[in-house]
Amino acid sequence: MAPSASPTWVEIDLNALAHNVKAIRACLPNQTALFAVVKANAYGHGAVEVARAALAAGAAGLCVARVEEGVALRQAGIEAPVWVLGWISPEEAPACARARLTPTVNTLEQAEALASANTGPPLPVHVKVDTGLSRYGLLPDEVVPFVRALRQFPQLYLEGLWTHMARADEADLTPTRQQLARFRAVHQQLQAEGLAPPLCHVAASAATLRPDLEEARFQAVRVGIALYGLYPSDEVDWPISLQPVMNWKARVARVRTLPPGTPVSYGGTFVTSQPTRVALVPVGYGDGYPRALSNRGQVLIGGRRCPVVGRVCMDSFVVKVDQVPAAREGDEVVLIGQQGHESITAEELARQLDTINYEVVTRIMARVPRVYVNG
Ligand SMILES: *Cc1c(COP(=O)(O)O)cnc(C)c1O
């Protein structure tokens, strides 16, 4: 039986998630903490449930991109450390301090807003070094003066120094080693002045999993994509076996045979050339199933691959089921995941869409219910 009454749902296998957390932990030295990255609704998997399961399986804390995401975790009763990795506006400082989130500060304006908002014990804050991604963070030269200036705020406590790698998922580690060298140089300058914070964190999934990057592990790692059983790229032989956590499913809404010469879906971009058995799949781009898969995508029904015919609409699309004579209304459709001996991976969809597995899972909309299994 389908675990949801909805025409489409995402199944999240919490057992697979726990397996992944433990497998990643097993690659790490004991003293390196694993922080689970649950931004963007845990890459589409459901932030609160994933956070709880990751913490239960051995994660020491959580990372989000925005204050609001951290506040939602607190409202769900999660008390673990939550690091906010993205830019925070001074207007968000009160909510950030109230929820005891750990922001990354980049300007004295942010520091001031946080300091005056914080009525509790000193709020831990982190400082990010931009070592080569050119996104958030201070340039190496700016860090020491900024950290000196932070001392004027006794309401803040500098807990962490961190950076983020641009190319740790590539075969050639030269640029990554350059970024690490820049990071280490900044850390040494801080140490020389007695200003170095207790925590450094640098590695996301790619650097965490690579045996040739042990020097990137420091006191904590920030792992996202690997938690979800997906690999950061296909350029590297990843040393551990991860289990995909997400399965995207639907029910067949209706099956019928169209006569020859029948156009299918908006624009009539597919026209039957013979009597054709088709099934209606009640999923569309309004659920995050990309319209770019019109006349290109495949789904699994009865353990067979069935091609999308015609355009993907907002709430539905049509597939050919000639090869599945037994297909009936109510049958399970798999959009991502396994059925019988066949499977459709996030990577397969990513290749078809010229994107990455991260985007494929993250883009699935909130209206698709998440169903948690094996928890
Ligand atoms: C998203 C993100 C991560 C996690 O990256 P993965 O490749 O998914 O492990 C880590 N650090 C920062 C700053 C991020 O934005």
Side-chain angles (χ1 to χ4, degrees), residues 37 39 43 85 135 162 164 204-205 222-225 358:
V37 180
K39 63 192 181 188
Y43 297 32
L85 302 177
R135 220 169 58 177
W162 66 283
H164 193 41
S205 295
R222 308 179 305 269
V223 178
I225 197 75
Y358 292 69

CSV table of all heavy atoms in Angstrom, one decimal, residues 37 39 43 85 135 162 164 204-205 222-225 358, ligand 1:
chain,number,residue,atom,x,y,z
A,37,VAL,N,24.4,19.3,7.3
A,37,VAL,CA,23.9,20.5,6.6
A,37,VAL,C,22.5,20.2,6.1
A,37,VAL,O,22.3,19.3,5.3
A,37,VAL,CB,24.8,20.8,5.4
A,37,VAL,CG1,24.3,22.1,4.7
A,37,VAL,CG2,26.3,21.1,5.8
A,39,LYS,N,20.3,22.8,5.2
A,39,LYS,CA,19.7,24.0,4.5
A,39,LYS,C,18.7,23.6,3.4
A,39,LYS,O,18.8,22.4,3.0
A,39,LYS,CB,20.8,24.8,4.0
A,39,LYS,CG,21.6,24.1,2.9
A,39,LYS,CD,22.9,24.9,2.6
A,39,LYS,CE,23.7,24.1,1.5
A,39,LYS,NZ,25.0,24.7,1.2
A,43,TYR,N,18.0,19.8,1.6
A,43,TYR,CA,18.1,19.4,0.2
A,43,TYR,C,16.8,18.7,-0.3
A,43,TYR,O,16.8,17.8,-1.1
A,43,TYR,CB,19.3,18.5,-0.1
A,43,TYR,CG,20.7,19.1,0.3
A,43,TYR,CD1,20.9,20.0,1.3
A,43,TYR,CD2,21.8,18.7,-0.5
A,43,TYR,CE1,22.1,20.5,1.6
A,43,TYR,CE2,23.1,19.2,-0.2
A,43,TYR,CZ,23.2,20.1,0.9
A,43,TYR,OH,24.5,20.6,1.1
A,85,LEU,N,25.3,29.5,8.0
A,85,LEU,CA,26.5,29.7,7.1
A,85,LEU,C,26.4,30.9,6.2
A,85,LEU,O,27.4,31.3,5.7
A,85,LEU,CB,26.7,28.4,6.3
A,85,LEU,CG,26.8,27.1,7.0
A,85,LEU,CD1,26.9,25.9,6.1
A,85,LEU,CD2,28.1,27.1,7.9
A,135,ARG,N,32.7,34.3,-2.5
A,135,ARG,CA,31.3,34.4,-2.2
A,135,ARG,C,31.2,35.2,-0.9
A,135,ARG,O,31.4,36.4,-0.9
A,135,ARG,CB,30.7,33.0,-2.1
A,135,ARG,CG,29.4,32.8,-2.7
A,135,ARG,CD,29.0,31.3,-2.8
A,135,ARG,NE,29.1,30.6,-1.5
A,135,ARG,CZ,28.7,29.3,-1.4
A,135,ARG,NH1,28.3,28.6,-2.4
A,135,ARG,NH2,28.7,28.8,-0.2
A,162,TRP,N,36.4,29.6,9.6
A,162,TRP,CA,36.1,28.6,8.5
A,162,TRP,C,36.3,29.1,7.1
A,162,TRP,O,36.4,30.4,6.9
A,162,TRP,CB,34.7,28.0,8.8
A,162,TRP,CG,33.5,28.9,8.6
A,162,TRP,CD1,33.0,29.8,9.5
A,162,TRP,CD2,32.6,28.9,7.5
A,162,TRP,NE1,31.9,30.4,9.0
A,162,TRP,CE2,31.6,29.8,7.8
A,162,TRP,CE3,32.6,28.2,6.3
A,162,TRP,CZ2,30.6,30.1,6.9
A,162,TRP,CZ3,31.5,28.4,5.4
A,162,TRP,CH2,30.5,29.4,5.7
A,164,HIS,N,35.3,27.7,2.7
A,164,HIS,CA,34.6,26.8,1.9
A,164,HIS,C,35.4,26.6,0.6
A,164,HIS,O,35.9,27.5,0.0
A,164,HIS,CB,33.2,27.3,1.7
A,164,HIS,CG,32.2,26.3,1.1
A,164,HIS,ND1,32.2,25.0,1.5
A,164,HIS,CD2,31.3,26.5,0.1
A,164,HIS,CE1,31.2,24.4,0.8
A,164,HIS,NE2,30.6,25.2,0.0
A,204,ALA,N,33.4,20.3,3.3
A,204,ALA,CA,32.0,19.9,3.0
A,204,ALA,C,32.2,18.4,2.6
A,204,ALA,O,33.2,17.8,2.8
A,204,ALA,CB,31.4,20.7,1.9
A,205,SER,N,31.1,17.8,2.0
A,205,SER,CA,31.2,16.4,1.7
A,205,SER,C,32.4,16.0,0.9
A,205,SER,O,33.1,15.0,1.3
A,205,SER,CB,29.9,16.0,0.9
A,205,SER,OG,28.8,16.1,1.6
A,222,ARG,N,31.4,19.9,7.6
A,222,ARG,CA,30.0,20.3,7.3
A,222,ARG,C,29.5,19.5,6.1
A,222,ARG,O,29.8,19.8,5.0
A,222,ARG,CB,29.9,21.8,6.9
A,222,ARG,CG,30.6,22.8,7.9
A,222,ARG,CD,30.4,24.2,7.3
A,222,ARG,NE,31.0,24.4,6.0
A,222,ARG,CZ,32.2,24.7,5.7
A,222,ARG,NH1,33.1,25.0,6.7
A,222,ARG,NH2,32.6,24.8,4.5
A,223,VAL,N,28.8,18.4,6.4
A,223,VAL,CA,28.4,17.4,5.4
A,223,VAL,C,27.0,17.6,5.0
A,223,VAL,O,26.1,17.5,5.8
A,223,VAL,CB,28.7,16.0,5.9
A,223,VAL,CG1,28.3,15.0,4.8
A,223,VAL,CG2,30.2,15.9,6.2
A,224,GLY,N,26.8,17.8,3.7
A,224,GLY,CA,25.4,17.9,3.1
A,224,GLY,C,25.1,16.7,2.2
A,224,GLY,O,24.6,15.7,2.7
A,225,ILE,N,25.5,16.9,1.0
A,225,ILE,CA,25.0,15.9,-0.1
A,225,ILE,C,25.2,14.4,0.3
A,225,ILE,O,24.4,13.6,0.0
A,225,ILE,CB,25.6,16.3,-1.4
A,225,ILE,CG1,24.8,15.6,-2.6
A,225,ILE,CG2,27.1,15.9,-1.5
A,225,ILE,CD1,23.5,16.3,-2.9
A,358,TYR,N,22.4,17.7,-6.6
A,358,TYR,CA,21.9,18.6,-5.6
A,358,TYR,C,20.6,19.3,-6.0
A,358,TYR,O,19.7,19.5,-5.2
A,358,TYR,CB,23.0,19.8,-5.4
A,358,TYR,CG,24.3,19.4,-4.8
A,358,TYR,CD1,25.2,18.7,-5.5
A,358,TYR,CD2,24.7,19.9,-3.5
A,358,TYR,CE1,26.5,18.4,-4.9
A,358,TYR,CE2,25.9,19.7,-3.0
A,358,TYR,CZ,26.8,18.9,-3.7
A,358,TYR,OH,28.1,18.7,-3.2
B,1,LIG,C1,26.0,23.7,1.3
B,1,LIG,C2,27.2,23.9,2.0
B,1,LIG,C3,27.9,22.8,2.6
B,1,LIG,C4,27.6,21.4,2.3
B,1,LIG,O1,28.1,21.0,1.0
B,1,LIG,P1,27.9,19.5,0.5
B,1,LIG,O2,28.7,19.5,-0.8
B,1,LIG,O3,26.5,19.3,0.2
B,1,LIG,O4,28.4,18.6,1.5
B,1,LIG,C5,29.0,23.1,3.4
B,1,LIG,N1,29.4,24.4,3.6
B,1,LIG,C6,28.8,25.4,3.1
B,1,LIG,C7,29.3,26.8,3.3
B,1,LIG,C8,27.7,25.2,2.3
B,1,LIG,O5,27.1,26.3,1.7
